[in-house]
Amino acid sequence: MFVDSDVVSEQRSDDGATHRIERRCKLDVDAPRLLKRIAGVDFVYFIQKNSLNRRERTLHIESHNETFSNRVIIHELCCYSVHPDNEDWTCFEQSASLDIKSFFGFESTVEKIAMKQYASSIKKGKEIIEHYLRELEEEGVTHIPRWAPSPVSPAMPSITARPELPVTPAISIPAASAKDTNSNKDSSSLPGSLNEPLSGTPDDKLDADYIKRYLGDLTPLQESCLIRLRQWLQETHKGKIPKDEHILRFLRARDFNIDKAREILCQSLTWRKQHQVDYLLETWNSPQVLHDYYTGGWHHHDKDGRPLYILRLGQMDTKGLVRALGEESLLRHVLSINEEGLRRCEENTKVFGRPISCWTCLVDLEGLNMRHLWRPGVKALLRIIEVVEANYPETLGRLLILRAPRVFPVLWTLVSPFIDENTRKKFLIYAGNDYQGPGGLVDYIDKEIIPDFLGGDCMCEVPEGGLVPKSLYRTAEELENEEIRLWTETIYQSASVFKGAPHELLIEIIEASSVITWDFDVCKGDIVFNIFHSKRAPQPPKKDTLGAHGITSPGGNNVQLIDKSWLLGQDYSMVESPLTCKEGESVQGSHVTRWPGFYILQWRFHSMPACATTNLPRVDDVLATLQVSSHKCKVMYYTEVLGSEDFRNACCDVQSLGSMTSLESSHSGFSQLSAATTSSSQSQSSSMISR
């Protein structure tokens, strides 16, 4: 608690641009009376130094303890600055350190008090800032003009002095958010920092009604994180921007750390694109054996309006399903369930008039026994959990596990390490008939929709299961062929790019004015994209292309076509300027060919760090530079060639709409997750590359 302060020194520059003030602050610490008596003090004193620079628009607040400085060293730094991408936003960074040398044998107690004080003071500090902003608004001050050198600047001291009032906490310790702020300073995102939009254009701030209707309660910091991540996606994934609800799930899964959320979101978008998950509900037809023996299905909704999914796992013949269908078919079926869950959440949001972003799952374990612990079945279950956790975060609102038998702890021990800690907190486990009493099902599900097999009156259409007939079992070879078929049904191809070993794709053009289009994602590392033309066909690639590098190329996903003896400008020519593409970016483009012949698309390793968007390298990036894997990039691509006649027809169709839009593959959109976006315009040159 702030009690009093004395000004030790104060300095102002002649032009009024800088103002430095040092104070000795008197604080009352919320500590046990016994501890205060032993320490022999009722108050503690801190030295606080404030440096305001109106020219650079920064405020630095530095403080350290004077009391017990020989036993405890506390240092804290707060910084207010202008956001690098939006000058109407204020960035607030806070870092602190605590070093307890000795404290009368109460070192552990002091540390706990420090943790409590710091956690509460962060929230209070934010409330104080908002309090004075509201006070300014009540006084009619909604805009502070930019400082400019002048002989007299009477209004500035009274206004700018207000942020100095929040005094640093009495005892401070390092916070996780502070570490994130100091180690990840991205020009487009400052993860972990309290960047709150104070004013700006409509794009800088979401509409309050929209947030309440579709997203739920968001703090200014969370709203800012959502806007910045969406803006980054718009810059790097043209035409394929997921809806805000989906972006928000990934932010929540990583506690609104933008770097971490961006990484897993990009990986998920790439995965969805590669396996065409957006079209799964339209293309996936469940085999009859799943209709008959998969004991799961959707059943109304819970009391919160969340879609309710029921799984009678104890009645399911997991071994029979794996033997009859294979692991990939089961995974496809579970993915279709999750896609249906996303669709039902959107529907319920409209029906109930409030944001519904997750569903409730009820798992009945009656009948669970040792046969459910069949090793290949558990392996399939673990893989399904891994894929769902990575691509559908924060979609499970609550998991009700009923009638857990004695064998359940064994299964739980096997699967729990693969489940995210935040997800595990949503599990409610009932043994025997405990679910029927107070605190049971009736607390979460309306009595009239409790399924009949759980003692309710509602008929449930979930199959009862049973043993899968062995006549439906398939041989290992049949299952393997089916799995290969399922996961090669994609228009996209993957390729690895190594240092000194680019991946090259040959396209033969018969007539001039044909159009080569491409759509690729940079899954790992940074690459340079080139397009070359040659009048003669390159020799077929050798199988040992990567042998000199000691690297194997599984699946033939690295091909080199340009012979080392070829000379650029003589044997082949470059027809487009090189394009450097960063990790996580999605690139679409086209090239109108001027001559027939052979065109080579090349993805070449780029030596810049994979995380070049940040000013400071992450620890993972530093470690990666010491490993062989740092010399490997990965891309996923799709190409298509339009004949000259088709291209002219397409131009006529588009021009009739009043503009020339980019030539993008119709397969490259995220149909279910994409919000309405606009395509980028084609440039005046013969080639267009949109990022």
Side-chain angles (χ1 to χ4, degrees):
M1 297 289 292
F2 176 77
V3 178
D4 194 10
S5 70
D6 297 317
V7 176
V8 178
S9 64
E10 186 171 7
Q11 295 177 341
R12 297 176 186 268
S13 62
D14 295 336
D15 59 359
T18 61
H19 181 198
R20 295 182 178 87
I21 186 169
E22 181 177 343
R23 292 189 180 95
R24 186 171 184 261
C25 302
K26 182 180 179 181
L27 306 174
D28 184 9
V29 182
D30 183 18
R33 182 177 299 178
L34 176 62
L35 185 59
K36 287 185 177 182
R37 291 185 61 183
I38 294 175
V41 297
D42 290 324
F43 302 100
V44 296
Y45 291 88
F46 271 72
I47 302 299
Q48 184 188 68
K49 299 178 181 179
N50 295 359
S51 299
L52 174 65
N53 190 320
R54 296 186 178 92
R55 181 180 290 106
E56 297 180 0
R57 301 173 71 191
T58 61
L59 171 63
H60 294 271
I61 304 176
E62 183 180 0
S63 63
H64 65 272
N65 62 305
E66 183 182 76
T67 307
F68 300 125
S69 58
N70 59 331
R71 297 180 180 273
V72 181
I73 299 176
I74 302 169
H75 184 267
E76 184 175 43
L77 178 64
C78 299
C79 177
Y80 296 81
S81 60
V82 179
H83 192 282
D85 290 342
N86 189 330
E87 63 177 16
D88 292 326
W89 290 4
T90 299
C91 296
F92 174 71
E93 300 179 59
Q94 184 174 15
S95 61
S97 63
L98 169 68
D99 183 13
I100 302 178
K101 299 180 178 179
S102 64
F103 204 85
F104 312 105
F106 286 86
E107 290 81 8
S108 177
T109 303
V110 171
E111 184 177 353
K112 291 179 181 178
I113 294 175
M115 293 176 65
K116 178 182 176 182
Q117 292 277 350
Y118 196 81
S120 62
S121 67
I122 289 178
K123 183 178 180 180
K124 290 178 181 177
K126 179 174 178 291
E127 292 174 353
I128 292 172
I129 295 172
E130 293 176 342
H131 168 78
Y132 284 104
L133 288 174
R134 286 193 299 268
E135 190 173 282
L136 284 173
E137 291 177 352
E138 292 173 358
E139 295 173 0
V141 181
T142 58
H143 174 72
I144 300 177
R146 184 79 60 84
W147 179 87
S150 61
V152 181
S153 183
M156 294 303 293
S158 61
I159 295 176
T160 55
R162 293 188 181 276
E164 300 176 7
L165 291 177
V167 179
T168 53
I171 299 180
S172 312
I173 63 170
S177 60
K179 293 180 181 178
D180 291 338
T181 300
N182 293 335
S183 61
N184 296 291
K185 296 194 176 179
D186 191 323
S187 61
S188 62
S189 63
L190 293 175
S193 63
L194 299 178
N195 303 330
E196 302 175 23
L198 302 180
S199 63
T201 65
D203 292 336
D204 298 332
K205 193 169 184 178
L206 299 176
D207 181 72
D209 292 336
Y210 168 76
I211 293 176
K212 182 178 179 181
R213 181 70 172 79
Y214 295 101
L215 304 180
D217 295 331
L218 294 179
T219 66
L221 170 62
Q222 293 170 344
E223 180 184 338
S224 174
C225 290
L226 173 60
I227 292 172
R228 283 181 284 150
L229 183 52
R230 185 180 64 185
Q231 288 175 341
W232 183 85
L233 287 170
Q234 288 172 341
E235 294 171 0
T236 58
H237 288 74
K238 290 285 185 182
K240 298 189 283 290
I241 307 303
K243 295 180 180 178
D244 288 342
E245 301 94 301
H246 195 65
I247 299 175
L248 197 56
R249 289 187 179 101
F250 286 85
L251 283 168
R252 284 173 172 154
R254 291 299 179 266
D255 296 325
F256 287 87
N257 183 301
I258 292 185
D259 271 354
K260 294 179 180 179
R262 178 172 56 189
E263 181 180 357
I264 61 173
L265 177 57
C266 288
Q267 291 173 354
S268 179
L269 293 179
T270 301
W271 170 82
R272 294 183 69 89
K273 185 174 182 178
Q274 183 174 10
H275 301 298
Q276 302 180 69
V277 178
D278 288 310
Y279 310 106
L280 193 58
L281 291 179
E282 291 79 22
T283 59
W284 170 249
N285 294 317
S286 300
Q288 188 61 41
V289 66
L290 281 173
H291 289 286
D292 297 337
Y293 297 100
Y294 188 86
T295 56
W298 294 99
H299 180 78
H300 300 285
H301 55 79
D302 67 4
K303 287 187 174 181
D304 296 321
R306 298 167 174 166
L308 176 63
Y309 189 83
I310 294 179
L311 180 64
R312 302 184 68 179
L313 186 59
Q315 304 299 317
M316 187 183 296
D317 180 12
T318 52
K319 179 177 180 179
L321 288 174
V322 173
R323 293 289 299 273
L325 295 171
E327 188 177 311
E328 299 299 335
S329 291
L330 274 178
L331 176 58
R332 277 286 174 106
H333 185 64
V334 173
L335 295 181
S336 70
I337 293 171
N338 281 270
E339 290 297 304
E340 174 67 16
L342 294 176
R343 187 186 66 80
R344 286 175 178 259
C345 285
E346 289 188 11
E347 289 182 353
N348 286 19
T349 296
K350 297 175 183 177
V351 171
F352 293 99
R354 62 177 184 271
I356 308 285
S357 61
C358 53
W359 52 83
T360 293
C361 186
L362 187 155
V363 180
D364 180 23
L365 295 183
E366 185 179 52
L368 190 76
N369 54 44
M370 292 303 295
R371 69 181 169 86
H372 288 89
L373 301 180
W374 181 57
R375 187 171 180 179
V378 173
K379 175 176 171 289
L381 175 62
L382 295 179
R383 179 163 177 240
I384 290 172
I385 291 174
E386 183 180 14
V387 173
V388 171
E389 281 280 308
N391 298 285
Y392 300 92
E394 296 298 314
T395 54
L396 181 65
R398 185 181 295 116
L399 181 65
L400 304 171
I401 300 177
L402 309 184
R403 302 196 279 195
R406 292 183 177 180
V407 73
F408 173 71
V410 180
L411 180 62
W412 178 250
T413 302
L414 293 173
V415 302
S416 60
F418 295 87
I419 302 174
D420 181 72
E421 182 180 356
N422 291 333
T423 304
R424 290 201 300 266
K425 293 177 182 178
K426 303 172 184 177
F427 286 29
L428 296 173
I429 303 173
Y430 300 90
N433 295 323
D434 293 347
Y435 69 92
Q436 295 178 345
L441 273 186
V442 291
D443 283 12
Y444 307 102
I445 302 174
D446 289 329
K447 186 176 181 181
E448 55 269 20
I449 66 169
I450 293 179
D452 50 353
F453 64 86
L454 293 175
D457 299 326
C458 187
M459 293 296 296
C460 184
E461 298 181 358
V462 175
E464 295 184 0
L467 294 176
V468 178
K470 292 187 177 180
S471 59
L472 298 178
Y473 285 12
R474 303 168 75 179
T475 64
E477 184 178 357
E478 289 175 331
L479 291 175
E480 183 179 357
N481 291 336
E482 176 68 10
E483 291 178 358
I484 293 175
R485 183 189 70 81
L486 283 175
W487 289 112
T488 53
E489 286 181 341
T490 172
I491 60 175
Y492 291 90
Q493 301 181 56
S494 296
S496 296
V497 178
F498 302 93
K499 194 170 186 179
H503 177 71
E504 295 165 343
L505 177 69
L506 179 66
I507 297 177
E508 184 177 3
I509 297 297
I510 304 300
E511 57 177 344
S513 298
S514 298
V515 180
I516 303 173
T517 67
W518 56 83
D519 180 358
F520 65 85
D521 291 271
V522 185
C523 308
K524 179 182 179 182
D526 296 353
I527 59 99
V528 177
F529 179 63
N530 286 301
I531 308 175
F532 301 103
H533 172 261
S534 175
K535 293 182 180 179
R536 57 177 175 141
Q539 294 296 321
K542 298 180 181 180
K543 293 184 178 181
D544 59 346
T545 306
L546 302 178
H549 300 271
I551 303 171
T552 59
S553 179
N557 61 349
N558 181 280
V559 177
Q560 296 173 63
L561 301 168
I562 299 177
D563 193 275
K564 293 183 178 180
S565 63
W566 280 20
L567 298 176
L568 183 63
Q570 180 176 329
D571 299 290
Y572 67 108
S573 59
M574 182 182 295
V575 296
E576 285 282 358
S577 299
L579 176 66
T580 301
C581 307
K582 304 295 183 182
E583 179 176 333
E585 291 186 343
S586 178
V587 181
Q588 301 86 37
S590 61
H591 174 77
V592 182
T593 61
R594 296 179 60 185
W595 317 280
F598 299 92
Y599 286 80
I600 300 172
L601 306 188
Q602 182 192 74
W603 292 269
R604 177 169 54 83
F605 180 88
H606 184 55
S607 59
M608 291 295 291
C611 224
T613 54
T614 56
N615 295 328
L616 295 176
R618 297 182 300 177
V619 175
D620 294 343
D621 298 328
V622 176
L623 293 176
T625 60
L626 304 177
Q627 301 172 357
V628 176
S629 60
S630 66
H631 301 300
K632 176 182 177 181
C633 302
K634 195 170 183 180
V635 295
M636 187 181 69
Y637 64 90
Y638 166 74
T639 61
E640 188 176 3
V641 177
L642 299 178
S644 57
E645 186 66 27
D646 295 333
F647 174 57
R648 283 193 292 270
N649 292 337
C651 290
C652 293
D653 292 340
V654 175
Q655 286 174 342
S656 66
L657 298 176
S659 66
M660 185 64 184
T661 56
S662 60
L663 296 173
E664 294 187 17
S665 167
S666 60
H667 299 282
S668 64
F670 290 92
S671 60
Q672 182 174 349
L673 298 178
S674 296
T677 56
T678 57
S679 301
S680 56
S681 298
Q682 186 180 19
S683 63
Q684 297 299 319
S685 65
S686 62
S687 165
M688 184 283 304
I689 297 177
S690 63
R691 304 175 75 185

